[in-house]
C-alpha cells in the first residue's frame, strides 16, 4: 500500500505542475494578445509563481490592467 500511496502522491504532484503550467501559459498568451511582446522580466516573474491561487488572480488582473506595467501593482 505504501507504493500505491507514493504513486498517488506523485500523480497529484504531476497534475498540479501541469495545471500551474497551463495557468502560466494562459497568462502569458493573454498578455501577448493584449499588449504585444511581453518583457522578459514579466515572463520570469510569472514563471516564478508557484501557487494556483496567485496565478488565477493574475489572470483576472490581466483582464483589468490597461498597461502591462500595472500588472503586479
Amino acid at each position: 500500500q505504501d507504493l500505491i500511496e507514493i504513486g498517488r502522491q506523485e500523480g497529484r504532484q504531476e497534475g498540479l505542475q501541469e495545471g500551474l503550467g497551463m495557468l502560466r501559459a494562459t497568462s502569458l498568451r493573454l498578455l501577448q494578445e493584449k499588449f504585444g511582446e511581453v518583457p522578459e522580466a514579466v515572463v520570469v516573474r510569472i514563471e516564478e509563481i508557484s501557487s494556483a491561487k496567485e496565478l488565477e488572480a493574475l489572470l483576472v488582473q490581466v483582464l483589468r490592467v490597461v498597461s502591462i506595467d500595472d500588472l503586479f501593482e
Side-chain angles (χ1 to χ4, degrees):
Q1 283 186 349
D2 289 335
L3 290 176
I4 292 171
E5 185 57 33
I6 290 170
R8 286 183 182 150
Q9 288 176 351
E10 288 176 0
R12 283 191 288 269
Q13 185 63 31
E14 286 176 18
L16 174 62
Q17 292 305 316
E18 285 180 24
L20 292 174
M22 292 288 290
L23 287 169
R24 287 185 194 104
T26 301
S27 297
L28 291 169
R29 177 63 190 264
L30 290 175
L31 286 168
Q32 184 179 27
E33 288 294 322
K34 188 170 183 177
F35 299 111
E37 188 173 342
V38 179
E40 184 65 24
V42 172
V43 173
V44 168
R45 188 146 178 203
I46 290 172
E47 289 177 350
E48 290 176 345
I49 298 173
S50 61
S51 160
K53 186 175 180 178
E54 287 181 53
L55 287 166
E56 289 170 355
L58 179 67
L59 285 171
V60 173
Q61 190 70 355
V62 169
L63 297 174
R64 292 183 176 163
V65 296
V66 294
S67 167
I68 201 165
D69 296 328
D70 298 332
L71 188 61
F72 295 107
E73 292 184 3

